[in-house]
Short mmCIF file of all heavy atoms in Angstrom, two decimals:
data_model
loop_
_atom_site.label_atom_id
_atom_site.label_comp_id
_atom_site.label_asym_id
_atom_site.label_seq_id
_atom_site.Cartn_x
_atom_site.Cartn_y
_atom_site.Cartn_z
N MET A 104 -5.34 12.68 21.88
CA MET A 104 -4.53 12.59 20.69
C MET A 104 -3.47 11.52 20.94
O MET A 104 -2.95 11.40 22.04
CB MET A 104 -3.87 13.94 20.40
CG MET A 104 -3.09 13.92 19.14
SD MET A 104 -2.19 15.43 18.71
CE MET A 104 -3.19 16.74 19.26
N TYR A 105 -3.18 10.75 19.91
CA TYR A 105 -2.18 9.70 19.99
C TYR A 105 -1.23 9.86 18.82
O TYR A 105 -1.66 10.02 17.68
CB TYR A 105 -2.84 8.33 19.92
CG TYR A 105 -1.87 7.19 19.66
CD1 TYR A 105 -1.19 6.60 20.71
CD2 TYR A 105 -1.64 6.71 18.38
CE1 TYR A 105 -0.31 5.56 20.49
CE2 TYR A 105 -0.77 5.68 18.14
CZ TYR A 105 -0.10 5.10 19.20
OH TYR A 105 0.77 4.08 18.97
N PHE A 106 0.06 9.86 19.07
CA PHE A 106 1.06 9.88 18.01
C PHE A 106 1.75 8.53 17.97
O PHE A 106 2.22 8.04 18.99
CB PHE A 106 2.12 10.96 18.24
CG PHE A 106 1.64 12.35 17.96
CD1 PHE A 106 1.18 13.15 18.98
CD2 PHE A 106 1.65 12.85 16.68
CE1 PHE A 106 0.74 14.43 18.74
CE2 PHE A 106 1.21 14.13 16.41
CZ PHE A 106 0.75 14.92 17.45
N GLY A 107 1.78 7.92 16.83
CA GLY A 107 2.52 6.69 16.64
C GLY A 107 3.67 6.96 15.68
O GLY A 107 3.82 8.06 15.16
N THR A 108 4.46 5.96 15.47
CA THR A 108 5.57 6.16 14.55
C THR A 108 5.10 6.23 13.11
O THR A 108 5.83 6.70 12.24
CB THR A 108 6.60 5.03 14.69
OG1 THR A 108 5.95 3.79 14.46
CG2 THR A 108 7.22 5.04 16.07
N ASP A 109 3.89 5.78 12.85
CA ASP A 109 3.39 5.79 11.48
C ASP A 109 1.97 6.33 11.38
O ASP A 109 1.29 6.12 10.38
CB ASP A 109 3.45 4.38 10.89
CG ASP A 109 2.57 3.40 11.64
OD1 ASP A 109 2.07 3.76 12.72
OD2 ASP A 109 2.39 2.28 11.16
N GLY A 110 1.49 7.02 12.41
CA GLY A 110 0.13 7.51 12.34
C GLY A 110 -0.17 8.53 13.42
O GLY A 110 0.62 8.77 14.33
N ILE A 111 -1.34 9.13 13.30
CA ILE A 111 -1.81 10.11 14.27
C ILE A 111 -3.32 9.93 14.38
O ILE A 111 -4.00 9.73 13.37
CB ILE A 111 -1.44 11.55 13.84
CG1 ILE A 111 -1.91 12.57 14.85
CG2 ILE A 111 -1.94 11.87 12.46
CD1 ILE A 111 -1.44 13.99 14.58
N ALA A 112 -3.83 9.95 15.59
CA ALA A 112 -5.27 9.83 15.82
C ALA A 112 -5.75 11.17 16.38
O ALA A 112 -5.20 11.67 17.36
CB ALA A 112 -5.56 8.70 16.80
N LEU A 113 -6.74 11.74 15.75
CA LEU A 113 -7.27 13.04 16.15
C LEU A 113 -8.73 12.91 16.57
O LEU A 113 -9.40 11.94 16.21
CB LEU A 113 -7.17 14.03 14.99
CG LEU A 113 -5.77 14.26 14.44
CD1 LEU A 113 -5.82 15.08 13.16
CD2 LEU A 113 -4.92 14.97 15.48
N THR A 114 -9.23 13.91 17.27
CA THR A 114 -10.62 13.87 17.72
C THR A 114 -11.59 14.41 16.69
O THR A 114 -12.79 14.25 16.84
CB THR A 114 -10.77 14.66 19.03
OG1 THR A 114 -10.29 15.99 18.83
CG2 THR A 114 -9.99 14.00 20.15
N GLU A 115 -11.10 15.06 15.65
CA GLU A 115 -11.95 15.56 14.57
C GLU A 115 -11.29 15.28 13.23
O GLU A 115 -10.07 15.25 13.12
CB GLU A 115 -12.16 17.08 14.69
CG GLU A 115 -12.93 17.49 15.92
CD GLU A 115 -13.16 18.98 15.97
OE1 GLU A 115 -13.03 19.66 14.92
OE2 GLU A 115 -13.47 19.48 17.06
N ARG A 116 -12.12 15.08 12.20
CA ARG A 116 -11.57 14.89 10.85
C ARG A 116 -10.94 16.18 10.36
O ARG A 116 -11.42 17.27 10.64
CB ARG A 116 -12.67 14.46 9.88
CG ARG A 116 -12.89 12.98 9.90
CD ARG A 116 -13.99 12.61 8.95
NE ARG A 116 -13.44 12.14 7.70
CZ ARG A 116 -14.13 11.42 6.84
NH1 ARG A 116 -15.37 11.10 7.08
NH2 ARG A 116 -13.58 11.03 5.72
N GLN A 117 -9.88 16.02 9.60
CA GLN A 117 -9.16 17.17 9.06
C GLN A 117 -9.29 17.17 7.53
O GLN A 117 -9.29 16.11 6.92
CB GLN A 117 -7.69 17.11 9.46
CG GLN A 117 -7.46 17.06 10.95
CD GLN A 117 -7.97 18.30 11.64
OE1 GLN A 117 -7.72 19.41 11.20
NE2 GLN A 117 -8.70 18.11 12.72
N PRO A 118 -9.38 18.35 6.93
CA PRO A 118 -9.52 18.42 5.47
C PRO A 118 -8.19 18.38 4.73
O PRO A 118 -8.03 19.00 3.69
CB PRO A 118 -10.23 19.77 5.28
CG PRO A 118 -9.71 20.62 6.39
CD PRO A 118 -9.55 19.66 7.57
N TRP A 119 -7.23 17.66 5.27
CA TRP A 119 -5.92 17.60 4.64
C TRP A 119 -6.01 16.83 3.34
O TRP A 119 -6.58 15.75 3.27
CB TRP A 119 -4.92 16.91 5.57
CG TRP A 119 -4.70 17.65 6.85
CD1 TRP A 119 -4.76 18.99 7.05
CD2 TRP A 119 -4.38 17.07 8.11
NE1 TRP A 119 -4.48 19.28 8.36
CE2 TRP A 119 -4.25 18.13 9.04
CE3 TRP A 119 -4.17 15.78 8.55
CZ2 TRP A 119 -3.93 17.93 10.37
CZ3 TRP A 119 -3.85 15.58 9.89
CH2 TRP A 119 -3.73 16.64 10.77
N PRO A 120 -5.43 17.39 2.28
CA PRO A 120 -5.47 16.68 0.99
C PRO A 120 -4.55 15.47 0.99
O PRO A 120 -3.55 15.43 1.72
CB PRO A 120 -4.97 17.73 -0.01
CG PRO A 120 -4.09 18.62 0.81
CD PRO A 120 -4.70 18.66 2.19
N TYR A 121 -4.91 14.47 0.21
CA TYR A 121 -4.06 13.31 0.02
C TYR A 121 -3.77 13.17 -1.46
O TYR A 121 -4.68 12.96 -2.26
CB TYR A 121 -4.70 12.03 0.56
CG TYR A 121 -3.80 10.83 0.36
CD1 TYR A 121 -2.68 10.66 1.15
CD2 TYR A 121 -4.06 9.90 -0.64
CE1 TYR A 121 -1.83 9.59 0.96
CE2 TYR A 121 -3.21 8.82 -0.84
CZ TYR A 121 -2.10 8.67 -0.03
OH TYR A 121 -1.26 7.61 -0.23
N ARG A 122 -2.51 13.35 -1.82
CA ARG A 122 -2.11 13.27 -3.23
C ARG A 122 -1.20 12.08 -3.49
O ARG A 122 -0.67 11.92 -4.58
CB ARG A 122 -1.39 14.56 -3.61
CG ARG A 122 -2.28 15.79 -3.54
CD ARG A 122 -1.51 17.09 -3.75
NE ARG A 122 -0.47 17.31 -2.75
CZ ARG A 122 -0.65 17.91 -1.57
NH1 ARG A 122 -1.83 18.35 -1.24
NH2 ARG A 122 0.34 18.07 -0.74
N GLY A 123 -0.98 11.26 -2.45
CA GLY A 123 -0.12 10.10 -2.60
C GLY A 123 1.36 10.41 -2.53
O GLY A 123 2.19 9.59 -2.90
N GLU A 124 1.69 11.60 -2.03
CA GLU A 124 3.08 12.01 -1.94
C GLU A 124 3.61 11.75 -0.53
O GLU A 124 2.84 11.71 0.43
CB GLU A 124 3.20 13.51 -2.26
CG GLU A 124 2.77 13.85 -3.67
CD GLU A 124 2.82 15.34 -3.94
OE1 GLU A 124 3.36 16.10 -3.11
OE2 GLU A 124 2.29 15.74 -4.99
N PRO A 125 4.92 11.56 -0.38
CA PRO A 125 5.49 11.39 0.96
C PRO A 125 5.11 12.56 1.86
O PRO A 125 5.15 13.71 1.45
CB PRO A 125 7.00 11.36 0.71
CG PRO A 125 7.14 10.91 -0.70
CD PRO A 125 5.95 11.48 -1.43
N GLY A 126 4.71 12.25 3.07
CA GLY A 126 4.30 13.29 4.01
C GLY A 126 2.81 13.56 4.03
O GLY A 126 2.33 14.19 4.96
N ASP A 127 2.06 13.11 3.04
CA ASP A 127 0.61 13.27 3.03
C ASP A 127 -0.01 12.33 4.05
O ASP A 127 0.46 11.22 4.26
CB ASP A 127 0.01 12.93 1.66
CG ASP A 127 0.26 14.00 0.62
OD1 ASP A 127 0.78 15.07 0.96
OD2 ASP A 127 -0.07 13.74 -0.55
N TYR A 128 -1.08 12.79 4.69
CA TYR A 128 -1.80 11.94 5.63
C TYR A 128 -2.94 11.23 4.90
O TYR A 128 -3.75 11.85 4.24
CB TYR A 128 -2.38 12.78 6.78
CG TYR A 128 -1.33 13.26 7.74
CD1 TYR A 128 -0.86 14.56 7.68
CD2 TYR A 128 -0.79 12.40 8.68
CE1 TYR A 128 0.11 15.01 8.56
CE2 TYR A 128 0.18 12.83 9.56
CZ TYR A 128 0.63 14.13 9.49
OH TYR A 128 1.59 14.56 10.36
N LEU A 129 -2.99 9.93 5.04
CA LEU A 129 -4.02 9.10 4.42
C LEU A 129 -5.04 8.73 5.49
O LEU A 129 -4.68 8.15 6.51
CB LEU A 129 -3.40 7.83 3.82
CG LEU A 129 -4.37 6.78 3.30
CD1 LEU A 129 -5.21 7.34 2.16
CD2 LEU A 129 -3.60 5.56 2.84
N LEU A 130 -6.30 9.08 5.26
CA LEU A 130 -7.37 8.74 6.19
C LEU A 130 -7.61 7.24 6.12
O LEU A 130 -7.96 6.70 5.08
CB LEU A 130 -8.65 9.50 5.83
CG LEU A 130 -9.86 9.23 6.73
CD1 LEU A 130 -9.57 9.69 8.16
CD2 LEU A 130 -11.08 9.94 6.17
N LYS A 131 -7.41 6.56 7.24
CA LYS A 131 -7.55 5.10 7.28
C LYS A 131 -8.70 4.65 8.16
O LYS A 131 -9.05 3.48 8.17
CB LYS A 131 -6.25 4.46 7.76
CG LYS A 131 -5.11 4.64 6.79
CD LYS A 131 -3.88 4.00 7.33
CE LYS A 131 -3.44 2.88 6.44
NZ LYS A 131 -2.24 2.21 6.94
N GLY A 132 -9.27 5.59 8.92
CA GLY A 132 -10.36 5.23 9.80
C GLY A 132 -11.07 6.45 10.34
O GLY A 132 -10.51 7.55 10.34
N HIS A 133 -12.32 6.26 10.78
CA HIS A 133 -13.09 7.36 11.36
C HIS A 133 -14.16 6.78 12.27
O HIS A 133 -14.87 5.86 11.88
CB HIS A 133 -13.74 8.19 10.25
CG HIS A 133 -14.55 9.32 10.80
ND1 HIS A 133 -15.91 9.24 10.97
CD2 HIS A 133 -14.19 10.54 11.23
CE1 HIS A 133 -16.36 10.38 11.48
NE2 HIS A 133 -15.33 11.19 11.65
N LEU A 134 -14.25 7.30 13.48
CA LEU A 134 -15.29 6.90 14.41
C LEU A 134 -16.20 8.09 14.68
O LEU A 134 -15.73 9.20 14.90
CB LEU A 134 -14.70 6.44 15.75
CG LEU A 134 -14.12 5.05 15.80
CD1 LEU A 134 -13.45 4.82 17.15
CD2 LEU A 134 -15.20 4.02 15.57
N THR A 135 -17.49 7.85 14.65
CA THR A 135 -18.45 8.86 15.06
C THR A 135 -18.47 8.87 16.57
O THR A 135 -18.73 7.84 17.19
CB THR A 135 -19.84 8.54 14.49
OG1 THR A 135 -19.74 8.43 13.07
CG2 THR A 135 -20.84 9.61 14.84
N GLY A 136 -18.14 9.98 17.17
CA GLY A 136 -17.96 10.04 18.62
C GLY A 136 -19.15 10.60 19.32
O GLY A 136 -20.18 10.82 18.73
N PRO A 137 -19.02 10.83 20.59
CA PRO A 137 -17.77 10.71 21.34
C PRO A 137 -17.45 9.26 21.70
O PRO A 137 -18.35 8.43 21.78
CB PRO A 137 -18.02 11.54 22.59
CG PRO A 137 -19.50 11.47 22.79
CD PRO A 137 -20.10 11.37 21.41
N VAL A 138 -16.18 9.00 21.90
CA VAL A 138 -15.71 7.69 22.35
C VAL A 138 -14.81 7.90 23.56
O VAL A 138 -14.22 8.98 23.73
CB VAL A 138 -14.95 6.91 21.25
CG1 VAL A 138 -15.85 6.61 20.07
CG2 VAL A 138 -13.73 7.68 20.78
N GLU A 139 -14.71 6.89 24.38
CA GLU A 139 -13.84 6.96 25.55
C GLU A 139 -12.37 6.95 25.10
O GLU A 139 -12.01 6.24 24.16
CB GLU A 139 -14.09 5.76 26.47
CG GLU A 139 -15.44 5.80 27.15
CD GLU A 139 -15.55 6.91 28.18
OE1 GLU A 139 -14.57 7.14 28.91
OE2 GLU A 139 -16.61 7.54 28.25
N HIS A 140 -11.54 7.71 25.78
CA HIS A 140 -10.11 7.72 25.48
C HIS A 140 -9.51 6.37 25.84
O HIS A 140 -9.78 5.84 26.91
CB HIS A 140 -9.39 8.80 26.26
CG HIS A 140 -9.77 10.20 25.90
ND1 HIS A 140 -10.58 10.51 24.85
CD2 HIS A 140 -9.44 11.38 26.46
CE1 HIS A 140 -10.73 11.83 24.78
NE2 HIS A 140 -10.06 12.37 25.75
N PRO A 141 -8.70 5.81 24.96
CA PRO A 141 -8.06 4.54 25.31
C PRO A 141 -7.01 4.76 26.40
O PRO A 141 -6.34 5.79 26.44
CB PRO A 141 -7.41 4.10 24.00
CG PRO A 141 -7.21 5.36 23.22
CD PRO A 141 -8.33 6.28 23.62
N THR A 142 -6.90 3.78 27.28
CA THR A 142 -5.92 3.87 28.36
C THR A 142 -4.84 2.81 28.23
O THR A 142 -3.99 2.69 29.10
CB THR A 142 -6.60 3.74 29.73
OG1 THR A 142 -7.30 2.50 29.78
CG2 THR A 142 -7.57 4.88 29.98
N SER A 143 -4.89 2.05 27.14
CA SER A 143 -3.87 1.03 26.92
C SER A 143 -3.69 0.85 25.41
O SER A 143 -4.53 1.28 24.61
CB SER A 143 -4.27 -0.30 27.55
OG SER A 143 -5.39 -0.85 26.88
N GLN A 144 -2.61 0.21 25.05
CA GLN A 144 -2.35 -0.09 23.64
C GLN A 144 -3.46 -0.96 23.07
O GLN A 144 -3.91 -0.76 21.94
CB GLN A 144 -1.00 -0.80 23.50
CG GLN A 144 -0.64 -1.18 22.07
CD GLN A 144 -0.13 -0.01 21.26
OE1 GLN A 144 0.17 1.05 21.77
NE2 GLN A 144 -0.02 -0.21 19.97
N GLU A 145 -3.94 -1.92 23.86
CA GLU A 145 -5.00 -2.82 23.39
C GLU A 145 -6.29 -2.05 23.10
O GLU A 145 -6.95 -2.30 22.10
CB GLU A 145 -5.26 -3.93 24.43
CG GLU A 145 -4.13 -4.92 24.56
CD GLU A 145 -2.97 -4.39 25.43
OE1 GLU A 145 -3.17 -3.45 26.24
OE2 GLU A 145 -1.86 -4.91 25.25
N GLU A 146 -6.65 -1.11 23.99
CA GLU A 146 -7.84 -0.29 23.76
C GLU A 146 -7.67 0.58 22.52
O GLU A 146 -8.62 0.75 21.75
CB GLU A 146 -8.14 0.56 24.98
CG GLU A 146 -8.63 -0.22 26.17
CD GLU A 146 -8.87 0.65 27.39
OE1 GLU A 146 -8.76 1.90 27.29
OE2 GLU A 146 -9.16 0.09 28.45
N TYR A 147 -6.49 1.14 22.33
CA TYR A 147 -6.25 1.95 21.14
C TYR A 147 -6.39 1.11 19.87
O TYR A 147 -7.03 1.53 18.91
CB TYR A 147 -4.86 2.60 21.17
CG TYR A 147 -4.50 3.19 19.83
CD1 TYR A 147 -5.11 4.34 19.37
CD2 TYR A 147 -3.60 2.54 18.99
CE1 TYR A 147 -4.82 4.86 18.13
CE2 TYR A 147 -3.30 3.04 17.74
CZ TYR A 147 -3.92 4.21 17.32
OH TYR A 147 -3.64 4.70 16.07
N LEU A 148 -5.81 -0.08 19.88
CA LEU A 148 -5.88 -0.94 18.69
C LEU A 148 -7.32 -1.35 18.40
O LEU A 148 -7.72 -1.45 17.23
CB LEU A 148 -4.98 -2.16 18.87
CG LEU A 148 -3.48 -1.85 18.92
CD1 LEU A 148 -2.69 -3.11 19.26
CD2 LEU A 148 -3.00 -1.22 17.63
N LYS A 149 -8.11 -1.56 19.44
CA LYS A 149 -9.53 -1.89 19.24
C LYS A 149 -10.26 -0.71 18.59
O LYS A 149 -11.01 -0.90 17.63
CB LYS A 149 -10.17 -2.25 20.57
CG LYS A 149 -11.63 -2.62 20.43
CD LYS A 149 -12.24 -3.00 21.78
CE LYS A 149 -13.72 -3.32 21.61
NZ LYS A 149 -14.35 -3.65 22.88
N LEU A 150 -10.04 0.50 19.11
CA LEU A 150 -10.66 1.69 18.53
C LEU A 150 -10.20 1.90 17.09
O LEU A 150 -11.00 2.28 16.22
CB LEU A 150 -10.36 2.93 19.36
CG LEU A 150 -11.10 3.06 20.68
CD1 LEU A 150 -10.59 4.28 21.44
CD2 LEU A 150 -12.59 3.14 20.47
N ARG A 151 -8.94 1.67 16.83
CA ARG A 151 -8.42 1.82 15.47
C ARG A 151 -9.14 0.86 14.52
O ARG A 151 -9.53 1.24 13.42
CB ARG A 151 -6.91 1.57 15.45
CG ARG A 151 -6.30 1.80 14.07
CD ARG A 151 -4.83 1.53 14.06
NE ARG A 151 -4.60 0.08 14.11
CZ ARG A 151 -3.42 -0.49 14.07
NH1 ARG A 151 -2.33 0.24 14.02
NH2 ARG A 151 -3.31 -1.80 14.09
N GLY A 152 -9.31 -0.37 14.94
CA GLY A 152 -10.02 -1.35 14.12
C GLY A 152 -11.47 -0.96 13.89
O GLY A 152 -11.99 -1.08 12.77
N LEU A 153 -12.13 -0.45 14.93
CA LEU A 153 -13.51 0.00 14.78
C LEU A 153 -13.59 1.19 13.82
O LEU A 153 -14.52 1.28 13.01
CB LEU A 153 -14.10 0.37 16.14
CG LEU A 153 -14.31 -0.78 17.12
CD1 LEU A 153 -14.69 -0.23 18.50
CD2 LEU A 153 -15.37 -1.73 16.60
N GLY A 154 -12.63 2.09 13.92
CA GLY A 154 -12.61 3.25 13.03
C GLY A 154 -12.40 2.86 11.58
O GLY A 154 -13.02 3.42 10.67
N ARG A 155 -11.54 1.90 11.35
CA ARG A 155 -11.31 1.43 9.99
C ARG A 155 -12.54 0.74 9.43
O ARG A 155 -12.89 0.92 8.26
CB ARG A 155 -10.09 0.51 9.95
CG ARG A 155 -8.80 1.27 10.14
CD ARG A 155 -7.59 0.39 10.13
NE ARG A 155 -6.38 1.22 10.25
CZ ARG A 155 -5.17 0.75 10.17
NH1 ARG A 155 -4.95 -0.53 9.98
NH2 ARG A 155 -4.15 1.57 10.28
N ALA A 156 -13.23 -0.02 10.28
CA ALA A 156 -14.46 -0.70 9.84
C ALA A 156 -15.55 0.31 9.53
O ALA A 156 -16.26 0.18 8.52
CB ALA A 156 -14.93 -1.68 10.91
N GLU A 157 -15.70 1.35 10.37
CA GLU A 157 -16.72 2.36 10.13
C GLU A 157 -16.44 3.12 8.84
O GLU A 157 -17.35 3.38 8.05
CB GLU A 157 -16.81 3.34 11.30
CG GLU A 157 -17.90 4.37 11.12
CD GLU A 157 -18.11 5.25 12.32
OE1 GLU A 157 -18.08 4.74 13.46
OE2 GLU A 157 -18.32 6.46 12.13
N LEU A 158 -15.18 3.46 8.60
CA LEU A 158 -14.83 4.17 7.36
C LEU A 158 -15.12 3.30 6.15
O LEU A 158 -15.62 3.79 5.13
CB LEU A 158 -13.37 4.61 7.38
CG LEU A 158 -12.93 5.42 6.16
CD1 LEU A 158 -13.63 6.77 6.14
CD2 LEU A 158 -11.43 5.61 6.17
N ALA A 159 -14.85 2.02 6.24
CA ALA A 159 -15.11 1.11 5.13
C ALA A 159 -16.61 1.03 4.83
O ALA A 159 -17.01 0.93 3.67
CB ALA A 159 -14.56 -0.28 5.43
N GLN A 160 -17.44 1.11 5.86
CA GLN A 160 -18.90 1.05 5.67
C GLN A 160 -19.46 2.35 5.14
O GLN A 160 -20.33 2.34 4.29
CB GLN A 160 -19.59 0.71 6.99
CG GLN A 160 -19.43 -0.72 7.42
CD GLN A 160 -20.14 -0.99 8.73
OE1 GLN A 160 -20.45 -0.08 9.50
NE2 GLN A 160 -20.39 -2.26 8.99
N THR A 161 -18.97 3.49 5.64
CA THR A 161 -19.55 4.78 5.27
C THR A 161 -18.87 5.42 4.08
O THR A 161 -19.45 6.28 3.43
CB THR A 161 -19.51 5.76 6.45
OG1 THR A 161 -18.15 5.99 6.83
CG2 THR A 161 -20.30 5.23 7.63
N GLY A 162 -17.64 5.05 3.81
CA GLY A 162 -16.90 5.64 2.71
C GLY A 162 -16.06 6.82 3.16
O GLY A 162 -16.36 7.49 4.14
N ALA A 163 -14.98 7.05 2.47
CA ALA A 163 -14.02 8.11 2.85
C ALA A 163 -14.54 9.51 2.56
O ALA A 163 -14.03 10.47 3.10
CB ALA A 163 -12.69 7.88 2.13
N ASP A 164 -15.52 9.67 1.68
CA ASP A 164 -15.97 11.00 1.29
C ASP A 164 -16.96 11.63 2.27
O ASP A 164 -17.29 12.78 2.14
CB ASP A 164 -16.62 10.95 -0.09
CG ASP A 164 -15.61 10.59 -1.18
OD1 ASP A 164 -14.43 10.90 -0.99
OD2 ASP A 164 -16.02 10.00 -2.17
N GLN A 165 -17.43 10.87 3.24
CA GLN A 165 -18.45 11.39 4.14
C GLN A 165 -17.87 12.17 5.28
O GLN A 165 -16.82 12.07 5.69
CB GLN A 165 -19.30 10.25 4.64
CG GLN A 165 -19.89 9.54 3.48
CD GLN A 165 -21.28 9.03 3.75
OE1 GLN A 165 -21.86 9.32 4.77
NE2 GLN A 165 -21.81 8.29 2.83
#
């Protein structure tokens, strides 16, 4: 698990609703795992980019 000042990365998708209100979590990426845990900021940013690309290809509803 990774906590950032503006995000959170989890190992499983959560069914949290997004209504566009302050405090709602917006799904911005998803990776089909398992994936190796990042050990550096650069590795985390790479995984984040891959997750965003995968979500864009598969769609947020899947």
Side-chain angles (χ1 to χ4, degrees):
M104 183 183 325
Y105 166 85
F106 285 96
T108 57
D109 62 350
I111 181 173
L113 302 171
T114 56
E115 295 182 17
R116 274 179 99 161
Q117 302 298 313
W119 297 329
Y121 180 74
R122 296 173 299 273
E124 298 176 10
D127 285 353
Y128 288 101
L129 173 62
L130 180 63
K131 293 179 117 181
H133 180 263
L134 281 174
T135 303
V138 297
E139 292 291 320
H140 294 352
T142 58
S143 67
Q144 179 78 12
E145 292 79 21
E146 290 178 6
Y147 168 73
L148 294 173
K149 181 179 178 182
L150 286 175
R151 184 181 74 177
L153 292 171
R155 288 179 177 185
E157 183 173 319
L158 183 67
Q160 287 180 340
T161 61
D164 294 332
Q165 303 216 7

